[in-house]
PDB file of all heavy atoms in Angstrom:
ATOM      1  N   ASP A 847       0.796  -1.203   0.018  1.00  0.00           N
ATOM      2  CA  ASP A 847       0.009  -0.004   0.000  1.00  0.00           C
ATOM      3  C   ASP A 847       0.839   1.246   0.008  1.00  0.00           C
ATOM      4  O   ASP A 847       0.306   2.340  -0.194  1.00  0.00           O
ATOM      5  CB  ASP A 847      -0.983   0.043   1.242  1.00  0.00           C
ATOM      6  CG  ASP A 847      -2.001  -1.046   1.146  1.00  0.00           C
ATOM      7  OD1 ASP A 847      -2.274  -1.506   0.069  1.00  0.00           O
ATOM      8  OD2 ASP A 847      -2.510  -1.407   2.167  1.00  0.00           O
ATOM      9  N   LEU A 848       2.132   1.148   0.199  1.00  0.00           N
ATOM     10  CA  LEU A 848       3.041   2.264   0.349  1.00  0.00           C
ATOM     11  C   LEU A 848       3.901   2.508  -0.804  1.00  0.00           C
ATOM     12  O   LEU A 848       4.568   3.599  -0.917  1.00  0.00           O
ATOM     13  CB  LEU A 848       3.835   2.239   1.652  1.00  0.00           C
ATOM     14  CG  LEU A 848       3.059   2.082   2.956  1.00  0.00           C
ATOM     15  CD1 LEU A 848       4.064   2.007   4.098  1.00  0.00           C
ATOM     16  CD2 LEU A 848       2.171   3.282   3.174  1.00  0.00           C
ATOM     17  N   VAL A 849       4.019   1.569  -1.688  1.00  0.00           N
ATOM     18  CA  VAL A 849       4.984   1.605  -2.859  1.00  0.00           C
ATOM     19  C   VAL A 849       4.729   2.948  -3.592  1.00  0.00           C
ATOM     20  O   VAL A 849       3.606   3.347  -3.879  1.00  0.00           O
ATOM     21  CB  VAL A 849       4.770   0.416  -3.805  1.00  0.00           C
ATOM     22  CG1 VAL A 849       5.626   0.593  -5.051  1.00  0.00           C
ATOM     23  CG2 VAL A 849       5.109  -0.874  -3.030  1.00  0.00           C
ATOM     24  N   PRO A 850       5.833   3.791  -3.889  1.00  0.00           N
ATOM     25  CA  PRO A 850       7.254   3.430  -3.785  1.00  0.00           C
ATOM     26  C   PRO A 850       7.891   3.818  -2.431  1.00  0.00           C
ATOM     27  O   PRO A 850       9.096   3.929  -2.410  1.00  0.00           O
ATOM     28  CB  PRO A 850       7.920   4.145  -4.916  1.00  0.00           C
ATOM     29  CG  PRO A 850       7.027   5.427  -5.016  1.00  0.00           C
ATOM     30  CD  PRO A 850       5.656   4.979  -4.695  1.00  0.00           C
ATOM     31  N   CYS A 851       7.122   4.035  -1.475  1.00  0.00           N
ATOM     32  CA  CYS A 851       7.688   4.317  -0.095  1.00  0.00           C
ATOM     33  C   CYS A 851       7.798   2.993   0.734  1.00  0.00           C
ATOM     34  O   CYS A 851       7.153   1.944   0.380  1.00  0.00           O
ATOM     35  CB  CYS A 851       6.739   5.237   0.667  1.00  0.00           C
ATOM     36  SG  CYS A 851       6.519   6.905  -0.129  1.00  0.00           S
ATOM     37  N   THR A 852       8.697   3.085   1.710  1.00  0.00           N
ATOM     38  CA  THR A 852       8.868   2.012   2.641  1.00  0.00           C
ATOM     39  C   THR A 852       8.731   2.498   4.018  1.00  0.00           C
ATOM     40  O   THR A 852       9.052   3.619   4.274  1.00  0.00           O
ATOM     41  CB  THR A 852      10.172   1.289   2.410  1.00  0.00           C
ATOM     42  OG1 THR A 852      11.270   2.199   2.588  1.00  0.00           O
ATOM     43  CG2 THR A 852      10.321   0.656   1.023  1.00  0.00           C
ATOM     44  N   CYS A 853       8.172   1.581   4.884  1.00  0.00           N
ATOM     45  CA  CYS A 853       8.071   1.955   6.282  1.00  0.00           C
ATOM     46  C   CYS A 853       8.581   0.843   7.147  1.00  0.00           C
ATOM     47  O   CYS A 853       8.458  -0.338   6.792  1.00  0.00           O
ATOM     48  CB  CYS A 853       6.549   2.139   6.574  1.00  0.00           C
ATOM     49  SG  CYS A 853       6.199   2.339   8.400  1.00  0.00           S
ATOM     50  N   TYR A 854       9.299   1.198   8.163  1.00  0.00           N
ATOM     51  CA  TYR A 854       9.831   0.132   9.079  1.00  0.00           C
ATOM     52  C   TYR A 854       9.940   0.762  10.464  1.00  0.00           C
ATOM     53  O   TYR A 854       9.949   2.010  10.670  1.00  0.00           O
ATOM     54  CB  TYR A 854      11.172  -0.402   8.670  1.00  0.00           C
ATOM     55  CG  TYR A 854      12.292   0.691   8.495  1.00  0.00           C
ATOM     56  CD1 TYR A 854      13.195   0.864   9.536  1.00  0.00           C
ATOM     57  CD2 TYR A 854      12.450   1.374   7.315  1.00  0.00           C
ATOM     58  CE1 TYR A 854      14.199   1.811   9.481  1.00  0.00           C
ATOM     59  CE2 TYR A 854      13.510   2.359   7.191  1.00  0.00           C
ATOM     60  CZ  TYR A 854      14.351   2.556   8.222  1.00  0.00           C
ATOM     61  OH  TYR A 854      15.342   3.408   8.208  1.00  0.00           O
ATOM     62  N   ALA A 855       9.983  -0.077  11.470  1.00  0.00           N
ATOM     63  CA  ALA A 855      10.213   0.379  12.849  1.00  0.00           C
ATOM     64  C   ALA A 855      11.402  -0.353  13.452  1.00  0.00           C
ATOM     65  O   ALA A 855      11.739  -1.430  13.148  1.00  0.00           O
ATOM     66  CB  ALA A 855       8.954   0.045  13.659  1.00  0.00           C
ATOM     67  N   ASP A 856      12.065   0.392  14.382  1.00  0.00           N
ATOM     68  CA  ASP A 856      13.241  -0.220  15.088  1.00  0.00           C
ATOM     69  C   ASP A 856      12.675  -0.961  16.280  1.00  0.00           C
ATOM     70  O   ASP A 856      11.487  -1.061  16.596  1.00  0.00           O
ATOM     71  CB  ASP A 856      14.274   0.769  15.429  1.00  0.00           C
ATOM     72  CG  ASP A 856      13.807   1.860  16.307  1.00  0.00           C
ATOM     73  OD1 ASP A 856      12.708   1.722  16.973  1.00  0.00           O
ATOM     74  OD2 ASP A 856      14.436   2.930  16.439  1.00  0.00           O
ATOM     75  N   ASP A 857      13.618  -1.448  17.132  1.00  0.00           N
ATOM     76  CA  ASP A 857      13.224  -2.236  18.349  1.00  0.00           C
ATOM     77  C   ASP A 857      12.397  -1.427  19.330  1.00  0.00           C
ATOM     78  O   ASP A 857      11.674  -1.985  20.130  1.00  0.00           O
ATOM     79  CB  ASP A 857      14.522  -2.837  19.002  1.00  0.00           C
ATOM     80  CG  ASP A 857      15.159  -3.878  18.147  1.00  0.00           C
ATOM     81  OD1 ASP A 857      14.526  -4.383  17.233  1.00  0.00           O
ATOM     82  OD2 ASP A 857      16.300  -4.100  18.357  1.00  0.00           O
ATOM     83  N   LYS A 858      12.551  -0.121  19.276  1.00  0.00           N
ATOM     84  CA  LYS A 858      11.846   0.730  20.183  1.00  0.00           C
ATOM     85  C   LYS A 858      10.515   1.339  19.550  1.00  0.00           C
ATOM     86  O   LYS A 858       9.959   2.263  20.091  1.00  0.00           O
ATOM     87  CB  LYS A 858      12.771   1.913  20.653  1.00  0.00           C
ATOM     88  CG  LYS A 858      13.994   1.439  21.468  1.00  0.00           C
ATOM     89  CD  LYS A 858      14.799   2.646  21.925  1.00  0.00           C
ATOM     90  CE  LYS A 858      15.972   2.140  22.692  1.00  0.00           C
ATOM     91  NZ  LYS A 858      16.800   3.307  23.245  1.00  0.00           N
ATOM     92  N   LEU A 859      10.193   0.738  18.437  1.00  0.00           N
ATOM     93  CA  LEU A 859       8.925   1.108  17.655  1.00  0.00           C
ATOM     94  C   LEU A 859       9.005   2.574  17.181  1.00  0.00           C
ATOM     95  O   LEU A 859       7.954   3.252  17.025  1.00  0.00           O
ATOM     96  CB  LEU A 859       7.762   0.915  18.531  1.00  0.00           C
ATOM     97  CG  LEU A 859       7.389  -0.520  18.822  1.00  0.00           C
ATOM     98  CD1 LEU A 859       6.122  -0.661  19.711  1.00  0.00           C
ATOM     99  CD2 LEU A 859       7.255  -1.365  17.556  1.00  0.00           C
ATOM    100  N   ASN A 860      10.240   3.066  16.911  1.00  0.00           N
ATOM    101  CA  ASN A 860      10.379   4.346  16.240  1.00  0.00           C
ATOM    102  C   ASN A 860      10.071   4.068  14.727  1.00  0.00           C
ATOM    103  O   ASN A 860      10.649   3.190  14.069  1.00  0.00           O
ATOM    104  CB  ASN A 860      11.778   4.912  16.416  1.00  0.00           C
ATOM    105  CG  ASN A 860      12.124   5.330  17.787  1.00  0.00           C
ATOM    106  OD1 ASN A 860      11.373   6.181  18.342  1.00  0.00           O
ATOM    107  ND2 ASN A 860      13.190   4.868  18.365  1.00  0.00           N
ATOM    108  N   LEU A 861       9.233   4.902  14.163  1.00  0.00           N
ATOM    109  CA  LEU A 861       8.800   4.724  12.787  1.00  0.00           C
ATOM    110  C   LEU A 861       9.638   5.522  11.810  1.00  0.00           C
ATOM    111  O   LEU A 861       9.886   6.730  12.021  1.00  0.00           O
ATOM    112  CB  LEU A 861       7.330   5.095  12.576  1.00  0.00           C
ATOM    113  CG  LEU A 861       6.282   4.039  13.003  1.00  0.00           C
ATOM    114  CD1 LEU A 861       4.885   4.704  12.792  1.00  0.00           C
ATOM    115  CD2 LEU A 861       6.411   2.807  12.092  1.00  0.00           C
ATOM    116  N   PHE A 862      10.022   4.852  10.692  1.00  0.00           N
ATOM    117  CA  PHE A 862      10.739   5.544   9.582  1.00  0.00           C
ATOM    118  C   PHE A 862      10.097   5.327   8.337  1.00  0.00           C
ATOM    119  O   PHE A 862       9.636   4.232   8.006  1.00  0.00           O
ATOM    120  CB  PHE A 862      12.162   4.903   9.571  1.00  0.00           C
ATOM    121  CG  PHE A 862      12.931   5.043  10.786  1.00  0.00           C
ATOM    122  CD1 PHE A 862      12.785   4.063  11.809  1.00  0.00           C
ATOM    123  CD2 PHE A 862      13.892   6.034  10.896  1.00  0.00           C
ATOM    124  CE1 PHE A 862      13.485   4.269  13.042  1.00  0.00           C
ATOM    125  CE2 PHE A 862      14.683   6.184  12.099  1.00  0.00           C
ATOM    126  CZ  PHE A 862      14.496   5.261  13.160  1.00  0.00           C
ATOM    127  N   VAL A 863       9.843   6.439   7.563  1.00  0.00           N
ATOM    128  CA  VAL A 863       9.269   6.332   6.208  1.00  0.00           C
ATOM    129  C   VAL A 863      10.262   6.940   5.260  1.00  0.00           C
ATOM    130  O   VAL A 863      10.746   8.100   5.379  1.00  0.00           O
ATOM    131  CB  VAL A 863       7.968   7.072   6.134  1.00  0.00           C
ATOM    132  CG1 VAL A 863       7.450   7.093   4.707  1.00  0.00           C
ATOM    133  CG2 VAL A 863       6.923   6.412   7.035  1.00  0.00           C
ATOM    134  N   GLU A 864      10.542   6.161   4.177  1.00  0.00           N
ATOM    135  CA  GLU A 864      11.478   6.652   3.092  1.00  0.00           C
ATOM    136  C   GLU A 864      10.801   6.480   1.827  1.00  0.00           C
ATOM    137  O   GLU A 864      10.215   5.386   1.499  1.00  0.00           O
ATOM    138  CB  GLU A 864      12.773   5.804   3.215  1.00  0.00           C
ATOM    139  CG  GLU A 864      13.615   5.951   4.478  1.00  0.00           C
ATOM    140  CD  GLU A 864      14.820   5.085   4.476  1.00  0.00           C
ATOM    141  OE1 GLU A 864      15.092   4.370   3.503  1.00  0.00           O
ATOM    142  OE2 GLU A 864      15.560   5.198   5.496  1.00  0.00           O
ATOM    143  N   CYS A 865      10.807   7.527   1.004  1.00  0.00           N
ATOM    144  CA  CYS A 865      10.211   7.564  -0.347  1.00  0.00           C
ATOM    145  C   CYS A 865      11.158   8.051  -1.390  1.00  0.00           C
ATOM    146  O   CYS A 865      11.908   9.036  -1.210  1.00  0.00           O
ATOM    147  CB  CYS A 865       9.008   8.531  -0.265  1.00  0.00           C
ATOM    148  SG  CYS A 865       7.718   8.178   0.912  1.00  0.00           S
ATOM    149  N   GLN A 866      11.174   7.263  -2.461  1.00  0.00           N
ATOM    150  CA  GLN A 866      12.028   7.491  -3.656  1.00  0.00           C
ATOM    151  C   GLN A 866      11.164   7.537  -4.902  1.00  0.00           C
ATOM    152  O   GLN A 866      10.263   6.589  -5.035  1.00  0.00           O
ATOM    153  CB  GLN A 866      13.224   6.531  -3.766  1.00  0.00           C
ATOM    154  CG  GLN A 866      14.158   6.524  -2.596  1.00  0.00           C
ATOM    155  CD  GLN A 866      15.106   7.754  -2.634  1.00  0.00           C
ATOM    156  OE1 GLN A 866      15.442   8.181  -3.723  1.00  0.00           O
ATOM    157  NE2 GLN A 866      15.623   8.159  -1.485  1.00  0.00           N
ATOM    158  N   SER A 867      11.446   8.393  -5.824  1.00  0.00           N
ATOM    159  CA  SER A 867      10.819   8.333  -7.108  1.00  0.00           C
ATOM    160  C   SER A 867       9.291   8.416  -7.067  1.00  0.00           C
ATOM    161  O   SER A 867       8.618   7.739  -7.815  1.00  0.00           O
ATOM    162  CB  SER A 867      11.249   7.120  -7.955  1.00  0.00           C
ATOM    163  OG  SER A 867      12.634   7.049  -7.980  1.00  0.00           O
ATOM    164  N   LEU A 868       8.790   9.281  -6.192  1.00  0.00           N
ATOM    165  CA  LEU A 868       7.361   9.441  -6.187  1.00  0.00           C
ATOM    166  C   LEU A 868       6.874  10.217  -7.417  1.00  0.00           C
ATOM    167  O   LEU A 868       7.548  11.153  -7.870  1.00  0.00           O
ATOM    168  CB  LEU A 868       6.854  10.259  -4.987  1.00  0.00           C
ATOM    169  CG  LEU A 868       6.959   9.485  -3.634  1.00  0.00           C
ATOM    170  CD1 LEU A 868       6.947  10.499  -2.470  1.00  0.00           C
ATOM    171  CD2 LEU A 868       5.744   8.537  -3.502  1.00  0.00           C
ATOM    172  N   PRO A 869       5.712   9.869  -8.066  1.00  0.00           N
ATOM    173  CA  PRO A 869       5.372  10.541  -9.289  1.00  0.00           C
ATOM    174  C   PRO A 869       4.664  11.847  -9.092  1.00  0.00           C
ATOM    175  O   PRO A 869       4.550  12.668 -10.026  1.00  0.00           O
ATOM    176  CB  PRO A 869       4.325   9.533  -9.889  1.00  0.00           C
ATOM    177  CG  PRO A 869       3.781   8.768  -8.744  1.00  0.00           C
ATOM    178  CD  PRO A 869       4.878   8.731  -7.734  1.00  0.00           C
ATOM    179  N   SER A 870       4.183  12.131  -7.853  1.00  0.00           N
ATOM    180  CA  SER A 870       3.448  13.403  -7.610  1.00  0.00           C
ATOM    181  C   SER A 870       3.337  13.605  -6.105  1.00  0.00           C
ATOM    182  O   SER A 870       3.455  12.657  -5.283  1.00  0.00           O
ATOM    183  CB  SER A 870       2.128  13.371  -8.227  1.00  0.00           C
ATOM    184  OG  SER A 870       1.313  12.374  -7.626  1.00  0.00           O
ATOM    185  N   LEU A 871       2.928  14.879  -5.698  1.00  0.00           N
ATOM    186  CA  LEU A 871       2.604  15.137  -4.328  1.00  0.00           C
ATOM    187  C   LEU A 871       1.376  14.367  -3.870  1.00  0.00           C
ATOM    188  O   LEU A 871       1.225  14.046  -2.695  1.00  0.00           O
ATOM    189  CB  LEU A 871       2.452  16.614  -4.086  1.00  0.00           C
ATOM    190  CG  LEU A 871       3.782  17.381  -3.801  1.00  0.00           C
ATOM    191  CD1 LEU A 871       3.358  18.897  -3.665  1.00  0.00           C
ATOM    192  CD2 LEU A 871       4.329  16.868  -2.470  1.00  0.00           C
ATOM    193  N   ALA A 872       0.452  14.169  -4.834  1.00  0.00           N
ATOM    194  CA  ALA A 872      -0.819  13.410  -4.473  1.00  0.00           C
ATOM    195  C   ALA A 872      -0.452  12.025  -3.982  1.00  0.00           C
ATOM    196  O   ALA A 872      -1.127  11.509  -3.112  1.00  0.00           O
ATOM    197  CB  ALA A 872      -1.675  13.364  -5.757  1.00  0.00           C
ATOM    198  N   LYS A 873       0.520  11.375  -4.582  1.00  0.00           N
ATOM    199  CA  LYS A 873       0.979  10.068  -4.156  1.00  0.00           C
ATOM    200  C   LYS A 873       1.531  10.125  -2.683  1.00  0.00           C
ATOM    201  O   LYS A 873       1.289   9.226  -1.880  1.00  0.00           O
ATOM    202  CB  LYS A 873       2.024   9.505  -5.157  1.00  0.00           C
ATOM    203  CG  LYS A 873       2.463   8.097  -4.742  1.00  0.00           C
ATOM    204  CD  LYS A 873       1.318   7.090  -4.634  1.00  0.00           C
ATOM    205  CE  LYS A 873       1.794   5.710  -4.269  1.00  0.00           C
ATOM    206  NZ  LYS A 873       0.738   4.748  -4.031  1.00  0.00           N
ATOM    207  N   LEU A 874       2.348  11.201  -2.438  1.00  0.00           N
ATOM    208  CA  LEU A 874       2.881  11.277  -1.094  1.00  0.00           C
ATOM    209  C   LEU A 874       1.749  11.549  -0.043  1.00  0.00           C
ATOM    210  O   LEU A 874       1.746  10.967   0.995  1.00  0.00           O
ATOM    211  CB  LEU A 874       3.848  12.502  -1.006  1.00  0.00           C
ATOM    212  CG  LEU A 874       4.548  12.758   0.375  1.00  0.00           C
ATOM    213  CD1 LEU A 874       5.361  11.617   0.844  1.00  0.00           C
ATOM    214  CD2 LEU A 874       5.419  14.018   0.261  1.00  0.00           C
ATOM    215  N   LYS A 875       0.741  12.342  -0.443  1.00  0.00           N
ATOM    216  CA  LYS A 875      -0.423  12.522   0.388  1.00  0.00           C
ATOM    217  C   LYS A 875      -1.234  11.271   0.648  1.00  0.00           C
ATOM    218  O   LYS A 875      -1.627  10.924   1.721  1.00  0.00           O
ATOM    219  CB  LYS A 875      -1.329  13.622  -0.146  1.00  0.00           C
ATOM    220  CG  LYS A 875      -2.473  14.056   0.753  1.00  0.00           C
ATOM    221  CD  LYS A 875      -3.239  15.196   0.124  1.00  0.00           C
ATOM    222  CE  LYS A 875      -4.383  15.618   1.052  1.00  0.00           C
ATOM    223  NZ  LYS A 875      -5.156  16.753   0.451  1.00  0.00           N
ATOM    224  N   ASP A 876      -1.262  10.450  -0.462  1.00  0.00           N
ATOM    225  CA  ASP A 876      -1.964   9.182  -0.323  1.00  0.00           C
ATOM    226  C   ASP A 876      -1.259   8.211   0.625  1.00  0.00           C
ATOM    227  O   ASP A 876      -2.003   7.471   1.336  1.00  0.00           O
ATOM    228  CB  ASP A 876      -2.083   8.560  -1.800  1.00  0.00           C
ATOM    229  CG  ASP A 876      -2.782   7.192  -1.776  1.00  0.00           C
ATOM    230  OD1 ASP A 876      -3.966   7.120  -1.417  1.00  0.00           O
ATOM    231  OD2 ASP A 876      -2.094   6.152  -2.049  1.00  0.00           O
ATOM    232  N   VAL A 877       0.048   8.249   0.651  1.00  0.00           N
ATOM    233  CA  VAL A 877       0.872   7.421   1.601  1.00  0.00           C
ATOM    234  C   VAL A 877       0.396   7.692   3.011  1.00  0.00           C
ATOM    235  O   VAL A 877       0.174   6.782   3.767  1.00  0.00           O
ATOM    236  CB  VAL A 877       2.319   7.601   1.462  1.00  0.00           C
ATOM    237  CG1 VAL A 877       3.141   6.969   2.612  1.00  0.00           C
ATOM    238  CG2 VAL A 877       2.774   6.998   0.093  1.00  0.00           C
ATOM    239  N   PHE A 878       0.178   8.973   3.334  1.00  0.00           N
ATOM    240  CA  PHE A 878      -0.095   9.387   4.702  1.00  0.00           C
ATOM    241  C   PHE A 878      -1.615   9.245   4.958  1.00  0.00           C
ATOM    242  O   PHE A 878      -2.037   9.643   6.068  1.00  0.00           O
ATOM    243  CB  PHE A 878       0.418  10.710   4.988  1.00  0.00           C
ATOM    244  CG  PHE A 878       1.917  10.630   5.248  1.00  0.00           C
ATOM    245  CD1 PHE A 878       2.808  10.923   4.218  1.00  0.00           C
ATOM    246  CD2 PHE A 878       2.420  10.259   6.483  1.00  0.00           C
ATOM    247  CE1 PHE A 878       4.115  10.880   4.373  1.00  0.00           C
ATOM    248  CE2 PHE A 878       3.856  10.166   6.680  1.00  0.00           C
ATOM    249  CZ  PHE A 878       4.647  10.478   5.572  1.00  0.00           C
ATOM    250  N   SER A 879      -2.393   8.749   3.990  1.00  0.00           N
ATOM    251  CA  SER A 879      -3.781   8.475   4.290  1.00  0.00           C
ATOM    252  C   SER A 879      -3.988   6.992   4.758  1.00  0.00           C
ATOM    253  O   SER A 879      -5.078   6.594   5.044  1.00  0.00           O
ATOM    254  CB  SER A 879      -4.634   8.748   3.045  1.00  0.00           C
ATOM    255  OG  SER A 879      -4.327   7.792   1.988  1.00  0.00           O
ATOM    256  N   LYS A 880      -2.877   6.227   4.683  1.00  0.00           N
ATOM    257  CA  LYS A 880      -2.966   4.793   5.029  1.00  0.00           C
ATOM    258  C   LYS A 880      -3.002   4.654   6.522  1.00  0.00           C
ATOM    259  O   LYS A 880      -2.663   5.558   7.363  1.00  0.00           O
ATOM    260  CB  LYS A 880      -1.693   4.113   4.526  1.00  0.00           C
ATOM    261  CG  LYS A 880      -1.487   4.234   2.940  1.00  0.00           C
ATOM    262  CD  LYS A 880      -2.755   3.771   2.185  1.00  0.00           C
ATOM    263  CE  LYS A 880      -2.503   3.960   0.678  1.00  0.00           C
ATOM    264  NZ  LYS A 880      -3.728   3.568  -0.048  1.00  0.00           N
ATOM    265  N   PRO A 881      -3.402   3.494   7.010  1.00  0.00           N
ATOM    266  CA  PRO A 881      -3.663   3.235   8.488  1.00  0.00           C
ATOM    267  C   PRO A 881      -2.361   2.983   9.245  1.00  0.00           C
ATOM    268  O   PRO A 881      -2.108   1.829   9.649  1.00  0.00           O
ATOM    269  CB  PRO A 881      -4.639   2.029   8.458  1.00  0.00           C
ATOM    270  CG  PRO A 881      -4.299   1.345   7.263  1.00  0.00           C
ATOM    271  CD  PRO A 881      -3.859   2.279   6.251  1.00  0.00           C
ATOM    272  N   PHE A 882      -1.542   4.034   9.499  1.00  0.00           N
ATOM    273  CA  PHE A 882      -0.435   3.866  10.355  1.00  0.00           C
ATOM    274  C   PHE A 882      -0.897   3.692  11.813  1.00  0.00           C
ATOM    275  O   PHE A 882      -1.909   4.318  12.190  1.00  0.00           O
ATOM    276  CB  PHE A 882       0.482   5.116  10.282  1.00  0.00           C
ATOM    277  CG  PHE A 882       1.229   5.229   9.000  1.00  0.00           C
ATOM    278  CD1 PHE A 882       0.774   5.832   7.889  1.00  0.00           C
ATOM    279  CD2 PHE A 882       2.492   4.504   8.824  1.00  0.00           C
ATOM    280  CE1 PHE A 882       1.463   5.991   6.737  1.00  0.00           C
ATOM    281  CE2 PHE A 882       3.219   4.629   7.707  1.00  0.00           C
ATOM    282  CZ  PHE A 882       2.736   5.382   6.591  1.00  0.00           C
ATOM    283  N   ALA A 883      -0.225   2.839  12.569  1.00  0.00           N
ATOM    284  CA  ALA A 883      -0.663   2.662  13.971  1.00  0.00           C
ATOM    285  C   ALA A 883      -0.283   3.894  14.819  1.00  0.00           C
ATOM    286  O   ALA A 883      -1.114   4.164  15.814  1.00  0.00           O
ATOM    287  CB  ALA A 883       0.109   1.475  14.597  1.00  0.00           C
ATOM    288  N   PHE A 884       0.688   4.624  14.468  1.00  0.00           N
ATOM    289  CA  PHE A 884       1.056   5.860  15.267  1.00  0.00           C
ATOM    290  C   PHE A 884       1.074   7.064  14.309  1.00  0.00           C
ATOM    291  O   PHE A 884       1.132   6.944  13.142  1.00  0.00           O
ATOM    292  CB  PHE A 884       2.522   5.693  15.807  1.00  0.00           C
ATOM    293  CG  PHE A 884       2.658   4.383  16.539  1.00  0.00           C
ATOM    294  CD1 PHE A 884       3.835   3.614  16.361  1.00  0.00           C
ATOM    295  CD2 PHE A 884       1.739   3.838  17.429  1.00  0.00           C
ATOM    296  CE1 PHE A 884       4.069   2.410  17.033  1.00  0.00           C
ATOM    297  CE2 PHE A 884       1.954   2.636  18.108  1.00  0.00           C
ATOM    298  CZ  PHE A 884       3.102   1.955  17.915  1.00  0.00           C
ATOM    299  N   HIS A 885       1.029   8.247  14.922  1.00  0.00           N
ATOM    300  CA  HIS A 885       1.127   9.530  14.203  1.00  0.00           C
ATOM    301  C   HIS A 885       2.430  10.175  14.356  1.00  0.00           C
ATOM    302  O   HIS A 885       2.638  11.291  13.817  1.00  0.00           O
ATOM    303  CB  HIS A 885      -0.081  10.460  14.561  1.00  0.00           C
ATOM    304  CG  HIS A 885      -1.350  10.029  14.064  1.00  0.00           C
ATOM    305  ND1 HIS A 885      -2.583  10.389  14.563  1.00  0.00           N
ATOM    306  CD2 HIS A 885      -1.692   9.174  12.985  1.00  0.00           C
ATOM    307  CE1 HIS A 885      -3.545   9.853  13.880  1.00  0.00           C
ATOM    308  NE2 HIS A 885      -3.024   9.098  12.924  1.00  0.00           N
TER     309      HIS A 885
END
């Protein structure tokens, strides 16, 4: 659901989001409409 972004968490549940080659800002906005557990 996040492609071309990736999301991962470390052992302390710190969230990291990395995005490469996004086609538009709309796609970046769509990534942050997904159901992340934390804000």
